[in-house]
Amino acid sequence: MVSRGIARRALIGQTPLRIILTVSAIYPRLWSSSSTDETPEPLATPKHLSNFLPSLELPVATPSLSSSSSAWNSTDQPTVLVRAMRLFSLFGPTAAALAIWIQLLIPWTQGVNFDPVPLPNLDLSQLGRVALTGDFDSISLYSYRQQTESTFSSNGSQALILQLPNGDFSPAATADAYIKSMCPFVMENGQLAGVVVGGNFTSLGGIEAQGIAMYGPDTSKITPLPGLHGKVSAVFCDQDTNSVYVGGDFKGADSTNAVAWVGSSGWANLPFAGFNGPVSSITKAPNGKIVFGGSFTGLGNATAPRRKDQQVINLSSANISSGSTTTANGFNDPKNIICKTAGQNGPGNTWLLQDDSPGFWRADMNFGYQPTRLRIFNTRQDGRGTKIFRITAFPLGGIMNFTFTDPATGADLFCASECPLTNNASVEYQDFRFWDRVGMSAFQLDISKWYGRGGGLNGIQLFQDGKHVWFRRIPAIKQFADIYAYAVTDLNEPSCANIDFGSNSTTTGPWAVAPSAQTQSQYLTANLAGPNVKSSDASVVFQPDIKQRGNYSVTVFTPGCLQDNSCDRRGIANVTGSFTAEGASIEPQLIYQTNNFDKYDQIYYGPVDVNSDTFRPTVTLTPSNNQERDLTLVAQRVRFWLTNSTGGLNGLF
């Protein structure tokens, strides 16, 4: 069996669970063999292997190969095994990887069964000493049906590795990105539910799984644990509480960055609703308490911004349609009321319905959003106007509930299917706040009653103070201050909104707009010719609309490659950022874009300044230098998430 590439992460032997890490080094290897030798002789052997493992206080075994097995042997426990394998890099040069297997025990009763196959009867005794050379990484006898010649990926993805009884390794399930943490989940009844795998992957074993999944060692089945959005960095399986504690940089259930999976019932919120920063490690103290570590300073979800509803949702790039529109010139275009905030009547400023007829106005966007406020400018053209309306959200298809202030009495009221508009000329506009925080990509305004001969409008606006607003129960609403900057300029705040420093992006290079398909919004794609792709070949600079200084979590979103058939051409993006006038920034970070489905990578956590005439926070995405093949680079959006603090935790709780 030929085994290629990089062994990245853990898996199951017949009785133990083995975690596989990788240390890379440039190191070619040849092997020779003699029919009289028990052990093949390495023609080149690394020296001082422990120098490659400065952070692991574990014994390192000298590589040796037994006559009956291709596995490295070591008598030390926990077992640390080193094996050279070839790295097929996106950057071209041949390299070797040192794979370190750290053994964790699983009960004998939880083993995996393997199917042996007859071995061929080969007699090499007449050939003398035999040397084997070629484009291979290892050689072993085909002894079990679970063996495979599948190559290990080197595109930033990692895999679960199955160890066969003869010591050989075979991929069990490949992820499309990094695997950060794993643990065997033994439930309180003593049964192994599976191995919980966490990371920033979007699929595992070809099954869509956002950051976390469970692998069944007895069935090889992948079970997604849906409900989290983001990256999982730590998992801790606790039999005593029948729970898996999960930490990272994500949102899920009604919590952020920390949550628990309980037995077979699913996600459960922790009593403190998570943390205001990423969690990187979880363990259990001697007193039985679960300890979380990370880059957080307080409990809870996030800070609601001081200035709410300040980010304008761009309607100018939407597909606008209407029904029962008048045929009168100057009043028959439903786009008349986009970006109109003066409330002026007249041709080009007003949209009208036919006489004595109900009708609708609809906007279909190329992105998803969660609005918090609707502003309507009613018309008074020729005594006409809208009297009663309702809003339907799509694709949900539900009628929205609002709270509003009655302009005549000043009373706070509630409406749903029959929301009123005044025809008082002194009222410039009316605001309606969404009661339920609902995700949508389109909405429709239906007019059922009108003033005078028919309904119409002079303007309409949507606002948000966060694209993702989660709530536990009404009225206990929890708001997340998420601010986005999109690579597709038309999805950012419209220039007609008269915002001093609205969200924006600038580009260089051969970018083209790709449809949203299965992702949240349209995105940009650039096809770059190799070899020697340079960072100057293409760039996107994201500029968010930051109105409140504070600590932010900054995340880059990468659309999946399956939807646009670009997986074979995807490569590595280089991301940099500048966040404060005083110089807070990040070193260049490499993000693999080979994810099958949408992926989230946190690139920064810390202070971010407000926009001003002299400074704007920015995030820049370019291709990584010196990629040796044709490359498809993608850019979609960057999120700035305002966090809060209850104080005093300093990264440990």
Side-chain angles (χ1 to χ4, degrees):
M1 180 184 71
V2 177
S3 178
R4 299 177 181 271
I6 308 177
R8 290 285 190 182
R9 278 285 191 276
L11 234 112
I12 306 267
Q14 186 166 3
T15 57
L17 170 69
R18 295 181 182 272
I19 298 179
I20 300 178
L21 308 174
T22 297
V23 181
S24 296
I26 303 299
Y27 186 73
R29 178 174 291 278
L30 296 174
W31 291 93
S32 69
S33 176
S34 170
S35 60
T36 59
D37 292 339
E38 289 188 358
T39 305
E41 175 186 354
L43 300 183
T45 304
K47 296 180 180 180
H48 310 299
L49 289 172
S50 59
N51 292 337
F52 291 100
L53 310 171
S55 63
L56 297 178
E57 297 181 0
L58 296 172
V60 177
T62 301
S64 64
L65 196 64
S66 68
S67 58
S68 60
S69 171
S70 62
W72 302 115
N73 297 320
S74 172
T75 58
D76 297 310
Q77 294 293 332
T79 304
V80 179
L81 308 169
V82 181
R83 179 179 183 181
M85 304 171 68
R86 181 173 175 181
L87 167 61
F88 292 93
S89 173
L90 290 168
F91 299 99
T94 300
L98 302 177
I100 303 99
W101 298 306
I102 305 173
Q103 186 179 62
L104 303 178
L105 296 181
I106 282 182
W108 287 85
T109 57
Q110 310 291 345
V112 179
N113 295 321
F114 300 98
D115 303 319
V117 296
L119 298 179
N121 186 17
L122 299 178
D123 183 8
L124 303 179
S125 61
Q126 302 301 316
L127 299 180
R129 186 175 179 86
V130 176
L132 302 176
T133 64
D135 186 17
F136 56 84
D137 306 289
S138 61
I139 300 174
S140 61
L141 295 177
Y142 180 50
S143 303
Y144 295 90
R145 298 189 187 279
Q146 286 77 13
Q147 288 177 262
T148 177
E149 293 185 359
S150 299
T151 60
F152 293 105
S153 174
S154 61
N155 61 1
S157 62
Q158 300 181 337
L160 305 180
I161 308 301
L162 191 72
Q163 185 178 24
L164 304 174
N166 64 357
D168 288 339
F169 287 83
S170 180
T174 299
D176 63 352
Y178 290 126
I179 297 173
K180 297 290 187 180
S181 184
M182 299 191 313
C183 65
F185 183 25
V186 180
M187 296 198 295
E188 57 188 356
N189 61 7
Q191 293 297 310
L192 177 67
V195 178
V196 179
V197 184
N200 70 337
F201 52 82
T202 66
S203 69
L204 183 64
I207 305 297
E208 183 175 3
Q210 287 288 343
I212 190 166
M214 192 177 298
Y215 175 81
D218 53 342
T219 63
S220 298
K221 179 182 178 181
I222 302 295
T223 303
L225 306 181
L228 301 188
H229 303 278
K231 177 179 69 176
V232 172
S233 300
V235 293
F236 182 83
C237 296
D238 184 37
Q239 183 177 2
D240 294 336
T241 60
N242 201 38
S243 301
V244 180
Y245 295 94
V246 180
D249 177 28
F250 58 77
K251 297 176 182 179
D254 189 27
S255 186
T256 56
N257 302 329
V259 72
W261 179 274
V262 179
S264 57
S265 61
W267 297 113
N269 296 312
L270 299 173
F272 46 88
F275 298 95
N276 69 339
V279 173
S280 57
S281 61
I282 306 173
T283 190
K284 191 172 185 177
N287 62 2
K289 301 293 185 181
I290 303 298
V291 180
F292 297 82
S295 302
F296 51 82
T297 59
L299 303 176
N301 287 335
T303 292
R306 291 190 298 267
R307 300 175 63 189
K308 297 182 179 182
D309 310 325
Q310 292 297 305
Q311 192 168 23
V312 180
I313 298 174
N314 194 339
L315 298 179
S316 61
S317 62
N319 179 29
I320 306 299
S321 59
S322 63
S324 298
T325 298
T326 183
T327 58
N329 290 333
F331 300 96
N332 57 356
D333 188 351
K335 294 183 180 179
N336 283 351
I337 63 176
I338 299 297
C339 285
K340 300 297 174 59
T341 59
Q344 294 180 351
N345 296 295
N349 293 318
T350 301
W351 166 75
L352 295 178
L353 291 177
Q354 297 174 9
D355 290 353
D356 300 316
S357 175
F360 71 87
W361 186 95
R362 176 167 172 150
D364 289 82
M365 282 77 146
N366 295 310
F367 57 95
Y369 52 93
Q370 285 181 302
T372 56
R373 178 163 53 111
L374 169 70
R375 176 170 290 178
I376 296 179
F377 298 78
N378 205 357
T379 186
R380 282 93 185 178
Q381 178 71 34
D382 299 328
R384 297 170 181 257
T386 296
K387 189 173 186 178
I388 299 294
F389 75 95
R390 72 180 185 188
I391 297 290
T392 304
F394 297 96
L396 178 65
I399 297 174
M400 296 293 94
N401 302 313
F402 294 98
T403 60
F404 69 100
T405 300
D406 186 333
T409 65
D412 292 330
L413 302 177
F414 176 89
C415 71
S417 60
E418 294 188 342
C419 292
L421 285 177
T422 182
N423 65 345
N424 187 337
S426 65
V427 178
E428 182 181 3
Y429 58 81
Q430 286 179 253
D431 283 343
F432 296 81
R433 295 190 180 275
F434 287 80
W435 181 265
D436 302 313
R437 301 320 198 236
V438 175
M440 62 185 77
S441 59
F443 72 94
Q444 180 171 306
L445 186 151
D446 291 282
I447 299 173
S448 58
K449 295 183 181 181
W450 49 89
Y451 298 101
R453 295 299 304 274
L457 297 173
N458 281 354
I460 186 169
Q461 285 183 299
L462 277 182
F463 298 85
Q464 64 191 358
D465 55 26
K467 289 276 173 90
H468 296 284
V469 185
W470 298 19
F471 55 91
R472 178 172 300 172
R473 61 182 65 86
I474 297 174
I477 296 174
K478 293 186 176 295
Q479 303 178 19
F480 292 159
D482 291 3
I483 296 172
Y484 284 88
Y486 288 86
V488 178
T489 303
D490 287 346
L491 306 186
N492 289 308
E493 292 174 301
S495 57
C496 61
N498 298 320
I499 301 172
D500 291 336
F501 305 102
S503 58
N504 193 18
S505 64
T506 58
T507 62
T508 62
W511 295 101
V513 177
S516 57
Q518 300 173 9
T519 188
Q520 191 266 357
S521 70
Q522 291 179 324
Y523 57 96
L524 296 183
T525 178
N527 293 317
L528 307 176
N532 299 321
V533 172
K534 300 183 293 295
S535 61
S536 59
D537 290 343
S539 69
V540 177
V541 179
F542 299 89
Q543 297 179 313
D545 181 9
I546 303 296
K547 291 184 170 68
Q548 178 177 334
R549 192 182 195 281
N551 284 336
Y552 287 78
S553 171
V554 182
T555 302
V556 173
F557 289 71
T558 304
C561 63
L562 290 180
Q563 62 183 325
D564 61 8
N565 240 359
S566 64
C567 294
D568 292 339
R569 291 175 53 89
R570 291 284 188 95
I572 305 173
N574 184 69
V575 177
T576 58
S578 176
F579 303 106
T580 67
E582 293 79 17
S585 60
I586 57 172
E587 295 295 325
Q589 296 193 25
L590 300 182
I591 294 179
Y592 285 87
Q593 297 195 328
T594 51
N595 44 292
N596 291 335
F597 304 96
D598 287 7
K599 185 179 68 165
Y600 322 86
D601 288 285
Q602 185 191 44
I603 61 168
Y604 175 77
Y605 178 80
V608 176
D609 280 349
V610 298
N611 295 324
S612 68
D613 292 330
T614 58
F615 176 79
R616 289 202 66 172
T618 59
V619 172
T620 302
L621 183 148
T622 66
S624 181
N625 278 319
N626 300 322
Q627 298 182 68
E628 294 292 335
R629 59 180 176 83
D630 292 347
L631 176 70
T632 294
L633 188 70
V634 294
Q636 186 182 50
R637 56 189 173 132
V638 174
R639 180 187 73 192
F640 283 69
W641 171 42
L642 178 62
T643 65
N644 75 341
S645 174
T646 55
L649 294 187
N650 195 28
L652 190 65
F653 178 75

